């Protein structure tokens, strides 16, 4: 399943983004520059996030770099600053334990950095310890972006995730007429649009 | 997510307005708008802040993410909102309310049904509780007005509903796919389903968009398609009303005779206290804070609380105890999320015998497995399923996805019932003198216990739910507990309406028996609670109260 910039814009509808939704305006908004584009988070910061996304996103998801870049840069500046701060702390840890930036590590090594910090087992908190902030601002923010986009949600057979403005039509549809080709048992990835 | 930019607003009193409205939820907003439009000078005092509309999508993210508590979405909690609960069932008050411009309508579901005729005549018909001093016919024109003001989408397809003349302002929401599965089972059982009137735009209305389907109606509608009372606060302001936010009223002060309220004393964020005078006062801060304010305003003339010579202030608190069932089918229910119900039945609402009482049964549009919530919990369904991992799941990537897929999403069905609960004197809002809020006032203690009528009605609702699940071929996977049911957040009673000053707090005109310039617009004036959503009735009563205030000026 390949994510695109359009998917990132769709994810930004689900809270926090600077794109203002209106009825059926998703296609027209694709490609619109966000108010905060590129200002708050650096390319290095996006690189850390992309490295983490390759770990926490399912392996059948592709197009991760572009999706993460578009998604994170579309978040409000204050959010970007908090994400960048947590990403810097994570990168510092990677450099300490593996002698290289997160973006230079393999997914297995990135996974190891996260788990060695306890990010997998800690509670998620926006203003807690470093592992808690990494869980909240990095891991969970990335997962939020993925699973509130229709494409990401289709990994679970749901074409209109909670938080995405598309439920008004989809709730009425029977299983046989959902857009895309539904998988046999109603779960699992579906084909691209 | 507090609104920090609001620190410097002018919160000084308005010099001698005609009306002071306390509270800006549905009742306060409609009363203020109606009176402002009628040419009166109105000031609204609201305990909570004016929320930035642009913050709604961030609040939605907060609602979806598992890290944020439900109450935190609208900044409820803390010293301002301390409370106690001393009944048989713990009443989580802060889950049931929002303080701010728009009040609890900011996180309500949006259902806007009329009470049935029987709800006003419980004593005459069944020998239960008391009759209201007004009937359905008295409220009928106000119901129609309320439906236009809120913008109600509905269809005249409920054969069990009360009579109506006007069409709904908007067409009803179409049924969901899972509704059609229920429909086949209900037809076999002779149960008639119908649409649900709701204050949510099924088409553009009142300069607001149609529903976009974010599916987070509770606790926040980012598009504004769901009605919330900040809409009528803005309309009132456009008519000249002044709004003072973050101004919780501490006391009402009356004249020497106790015949008139002279001022509402309110606090402001700078720690100051102000006196807002007015010719008329309308209390519209809900069935918990209204009795609390009256009790806090005790004086030598009213030692048991202002306007409380009857002793009924705070008594007869009501809410609907939810009866819920969930099951799974062996076929996809295709429940793409939507945040509201689209079908219900009132077939079990009007009844012949006194008990079991009224039941409103809604057919849920249950969300499928929420990928977002579960992924953020490390794949866990909830936070307690792994005893070695009590706080949070530790899976991500493929491992979390496989675990989520292994569940049985997209096959779930559910039903939810609101059974009738009769007013009981012992169910009450009182002051807990052992604890104080951030202003030094005793906190409200909400006591909520179920009587035999409610329990028998709950049991009957469960029986109907099981029959339908059985006919549907569903395997029941969850049934709500009868001993600690969740309340429907329908707070009613506590300053009930009546003609006898010894038994009730307000007259049929919504004016208090004791105090000539004090009116109440709230679910607190309900004499009985029916079995359906109270908000439209609250809205209708607020418009009626405004008319009576207008007549008196």
């Amino acid at each position: 399943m390949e994510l695109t910039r359009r998917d990132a814009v769709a994810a930004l509808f689900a809270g926090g983004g600077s794109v203002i939704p209106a009825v059926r305006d998703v296609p027209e908004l694709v490609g619109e520059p966000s108010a905060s584009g590129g200002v708050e988070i650096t390319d290095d910061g996006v690189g850390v996030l992309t490295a983490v996304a390759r770990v926490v996103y399912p392996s059948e998801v592709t197009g991760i770099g572009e999706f993460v870049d578009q998604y994170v840069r579309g978040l409000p500046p204050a959010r970007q600053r908090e994400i960048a701060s947590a990403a810097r702390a994570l990168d510092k840890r990677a450099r300490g334990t593996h002698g290289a930036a997160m973006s230079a590590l393999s997914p297995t090594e990135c996974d190891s950095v996260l788990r060695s910090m306890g990010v997998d087992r800690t509670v998620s908190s926006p203003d807690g310890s470093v592992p808690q902030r990494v869980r909240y601002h990095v891991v969970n923010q990335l997962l939020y972006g993925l699973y509130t986009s229709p494409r990401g949600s289709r990994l679970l057979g749901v074409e209109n995730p909670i938080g995405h403005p598309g439920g008004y039509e989809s709730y009425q549809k029977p299983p046989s007429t959902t857009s895309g080709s539904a998988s046999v048992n109603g779960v699992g990835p579906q084909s691209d649009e | 997510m507090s609104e920090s930019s609001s620190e410097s607003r002018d919160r000084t009193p308005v010099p001698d307005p005609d009306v002071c409205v306390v509270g800006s939820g549905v009742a306060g907003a409609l009363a203020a708008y109606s009176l402002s439009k009628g040419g009166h000078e109105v000031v609204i005092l609201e305990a909570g802040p004016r929320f930035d509309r642009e913050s709604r999508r961030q609040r939605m993210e907060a609602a979806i993410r598992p890290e944020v508590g439900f109450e935190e979405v609208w900044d409820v909690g803390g010293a301002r909102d301390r409370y106690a609960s001393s009944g048989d069932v713990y009443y989580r008050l802060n889950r049931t309310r929002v303080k701010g411009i728009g009040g609890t309508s900011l996180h309500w579901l949006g259902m806007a049904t009329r009470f049935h005729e029987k709800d006003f005549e419980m004593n005459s018909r069944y020998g239960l509780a008391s009759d209201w001093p007004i009937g359905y016919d008295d409220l009928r024109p106000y119901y129609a007005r309320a439906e236009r003001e809120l913008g109600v989408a509905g269809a005249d397809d409920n054969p069990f509903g009360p009579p109506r003349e006007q069409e709904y302002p908007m067409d009803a929401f179409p049924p969901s796919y899972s509704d059609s599965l229920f429909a086949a089972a209900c037809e076999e059982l002779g149960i008639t389903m119908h649409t649900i009137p709701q204050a949510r735009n099924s088409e553009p209305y009142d300069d607001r968009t149609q529903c976009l389907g974010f599916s987070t109606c509770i606790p926040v509608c980012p598009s504004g398609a769901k009605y919330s009372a900040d809409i009528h606060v803005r309309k009132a302001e456009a008519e000249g009303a002044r709004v003072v936010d973050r101004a919780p009223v501490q006391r009402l002060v009356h004249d020497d005779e106790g015949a008139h309220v002279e001022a509402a004393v309110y606090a402001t964020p700078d720690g100051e206290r102000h006196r807002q005078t007015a010719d008329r006062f309308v209390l519209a801060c809900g069935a918990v804070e209204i009795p609390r304010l009256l009790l806090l305003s005790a004086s030598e003339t009213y030692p048991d609380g202002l306007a409380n010579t009857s002793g009924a202030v705070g008594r007869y608190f009501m809410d609907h105890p939810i009866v819920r069932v969930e099951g799974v089918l062996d076929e996809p229910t295709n429940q793409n999320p939507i945040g509201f119900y689209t079908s219900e039945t009132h077939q079990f609402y009007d009844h012949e015998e006194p008990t079991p009482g009224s039941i409103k049964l809604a057919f849920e549009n249950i969300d499928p497995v929420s990928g977002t919530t579960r992924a953020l919990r490390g794949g866990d369904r909830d936070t307690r399923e792994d005893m070695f991992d009590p706080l949070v799941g530790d899976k991500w990537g493929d491992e979390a996805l496989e675990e989520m897929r292994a569940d049985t999403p997209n096959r779930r069905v559910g039903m939810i019932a609101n059974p009738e609960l009769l007013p009981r004197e012992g169910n009450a809002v009182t002051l807990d003198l052992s604890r104080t809020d951030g202003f030094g006032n005793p906190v409200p203690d909400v006591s909520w216990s179920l009587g035999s009528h409610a329990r028998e009605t709950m049991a009957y609702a469960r029986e109907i739910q099981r029959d339908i699940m059985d006919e549907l071929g569903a395997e029941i996977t969850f049934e709500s507990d009868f001993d600690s049911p969740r309340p429907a957040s329908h707070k009613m009673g506590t300053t009930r309406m009546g003609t006898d000053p010894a038994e009730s707090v307000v007259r049929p005109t919504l004016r208090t028996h004791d105090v000539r310039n004090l009116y109440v617009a709230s679910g607190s004036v309900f004499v009985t609670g029916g079995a359906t959503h109270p908000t439209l009735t609250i809205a209708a009563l607020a418009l009626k109260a405004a008319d009576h205030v207008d007549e008196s000026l």
Side-chain angles (χ1 to χ4, degrees), chain B residues 161-393:
Chain B
R164 54 179 300 122
E165 286 171 359
Q166 288 93 345
E167 290 192 351
Y168 288 98
M170 286 172 279
D171 288 342
F173 283 86
S176 67
Y177 173 71
S178 62
D179 287 342
S180 70
L181 302 176
F182 277 114
C186 284
E187 191 174 349
E188 282 297 313
L189 294 169
I191 296 171
T192 301
M193 294 166 64
H194 47 82
T195 58
I196 311 175
Q198 33 199 312
R200 184 181 347 271
N201 288 359
S202 62
E203 58 197 73
Y205 184 85
D206 200 21
D207 294 328
R208 289 181 286 125
T209 177
Q210 75 172 90
C211 172
L212 300 182
F214 279 99
S215 309
T216 56
C217 310
I218 295 176
V220 55
C221 173
S223 73
K226 179 186 77 174
Y227 175 80
S228 53
D230 54 310
I231 291 163
H232 277 93
V233 173
R234 282 198 298 278
K235 289 185 178 186
E237 288 179 291
E239 296 288 346
R242 163 102 186 282
V243 178
V244 184
D245 74 338
R246 300 177 69 186
V249 175
Q250 310 290 300
R251 299 282 189 283
L252 298 173
V253 180
H254 61 71
D255 60 10
D256 290 342
E257 294 81 38
H260 295 87
V261 170
E262 290 186 333
V265 178
Y266 62 93
T268 45
D270 55 10
E272 295 295 316
R273 296 289 188 274
H274 302 271
R275 281 171 60 95
Q276 178 62 64
T277 60
D279 292 336
R280 303 287 182 275
F281 289 83
V282 179
L283 301 186
C285 46
V288 171
E289 294 296 347
I290 288 173
R292 181 184 181 218
L293 178 57
L294 293 172
L295 295 173
L296 286 171
S297 303
S299 64
E300 282 186 20
T301 311
Y302 296 103
D304 297 323
L306 184 63
N308 192 25
T309 54
S310 65
V313 167
R315 302 280 173 200
Y316 309 106
F317 174 77
M318 294 174 281
D319 199 336
H320 298 127
I322 288 174
V323 176
R324 190 156 173 267
V325 63
E326 251 183 66
V328 291
L329 297 179
D330 58 4
E331 62 178 305
T333 52
N334 191 44
Q335 293 197 326
N336 274 293
I338 195 71
F340 52 93
Y341 315 135
T342 40
S343 292
E344 66 179 0
T345 181
H346 282 203
Q347 187 160 332
F348 307 97
Y349 202 106
D350 289 30
H351 46 97
E352 295 297 321
E353 299 299 319
T355 303
S358 294
I359 293 167
K360 186 221 66 177
L361 184 66
F363 301 88
E364 288 195 350
N365 295 323
I366 286 192
D367 301 330
V369 64
S370 169
T372 309
T373 305
R374 286 200 58 173
L376 268 62
R377 281 186 179 140
D380 283 1
R381 264 188 304 245
D382 57 49
T383 52
R384 289 185 300 277
E385 69 179 20
D386 183 349
M387 62 183 293
F388 299 108
D389 175 20
L391 296 176
V392 67

Side-chain angles (χ1 to χ4, degrees), chain B residues 113-134:
Chain B
T113 49
R114 299 183 181 193
F115 269 23
H116 288 215
E117 291 154 299
K118 63 144 286 257
D119 292 326
F120 302 91
E121 304 163 4
M122 290 295 287
N123 191 269
S124 301
R125 292 196 186 204
Y126 307 114
L128 298 172
S130 306
D131 286 353
W132 293 44
I134 60 174

Side-chain angles (χ1 to χ4, degrees), chain B residues 424-441:
Chain B
R424 309 172 79 212
E425 192 175 2
N427 281 348
V429 175
T430 54
L431 298 179
D432 180 348
L433 301 176
S434 69
R435 297 181 65 205
T436 55
D437 66 8
F439 304 96
N441 295 315

Side-chain angles (χ1 to χ4, degrees), chain B residues 15-46:
Chain B
D16 299 320
D18 298 319
V19 185
C20 171
V21 177
V22 180
S24 69
V26 168
L30 283 175
Y33 168 64
S34 184
L35 287 161
S36 301
K37 198 177 175 192
H40 302 294
E41 189 178 8
V42 176
V43 59
I44 302 173
L45 301 177
E46 165 56 51

Side-chain angles (χ1 to χ4, degrees), chain A residues 122-191:
Chain A
T122 188
V123 292
S124 175
S125 169
D127 47 14
S129 65
V130 168
Q132 288 172 342
R133 288 192 296 118
V134 170
R135 178 80 182 234
Y136 187 93
H137 291 299
V138 178
V139 172
N140 280 2
Q141 191 71 54
L142 288 167
L143 291 171
Y144 184 86
L146 176 67
Y147 284 105
T148 52
S149 74
R151 185 81 55 110
S153 180
R154 273 184 213 130
L155 291 163
L156 292 164
V158 177
E159 68 180 55
N160 174 61
I162 293 172
H164 181 74
Y168 182 58
E169 289 168 356
S170 66
Y171 85 86
Q172 303 169 41
K173 292 179 184 172
S176 58
T177 61
T178 51
S179 65
S181 57
S183 56
V184 176
N185 62 356
V187 297
Q190 300 177 7
S191 64

